[in-house]
Amino acid sequence: MVTRGSSGALAAHANGLVTVPAPPVVVADTVGAGDSFMAALLAGFLDLGDDPRAMLTPASIEALLRQATAAAAITVGRVGANPPTREELASAAPA
């Protein structure tokens, strides 16, 4: 899984690539964007359950990438490395 900043994110999967666009955002500060992306990705991965590898499908990977890009977008929209809370992320991430 790779973040590409304003170009979105992608992940390699056994069946090909999964890509998502970056959410539109007015950038205030890029500090912490990558950390927020990775933290949201890992949190989402852990939320998949006891055997997250078994749950990795193109659809679940897309959802993980959307959550991670939403977290990064929220972070860059703020000054300083200020990642979103789970509540903020839940209300911002597309379904």
Side-chain angles (χ1 to χ4, degrees):
M1 298 184 179
V2 178
T3 178
R4 299 180 302 156
S6 63
S7 296
L10 65 88
H13 185 269
N15 297 322
L17 291 178
V18 177
T19 62
V20 299
V25 63
V26 175
V27 176
D29 189 346
T30 60
V31 173
D35 293 333
S36 293
F37 178 92
M38 186 56 68
L41 188 64
L42 290 172
F45 188 71
L46 291 173
D47 289 344
L48 290 176
D50 292 334
D51 188 5
R53 289 178 294 172
M55 301 298 293
L56 286 178
T57 64
S60 67
I61 291 170
E62 180 179 339
L64 289 170
L65 290 177
R66 288 189 184 280
Q67 176 173 291
T69 56
I74 291 169
T75 301
V76 301
R78 303 173 175 177
V79 175
N82 186 6
T85 63
R86 274 190 182 262
E87 292 77 22
E88 289 173 309
L89 190 54
S91 65

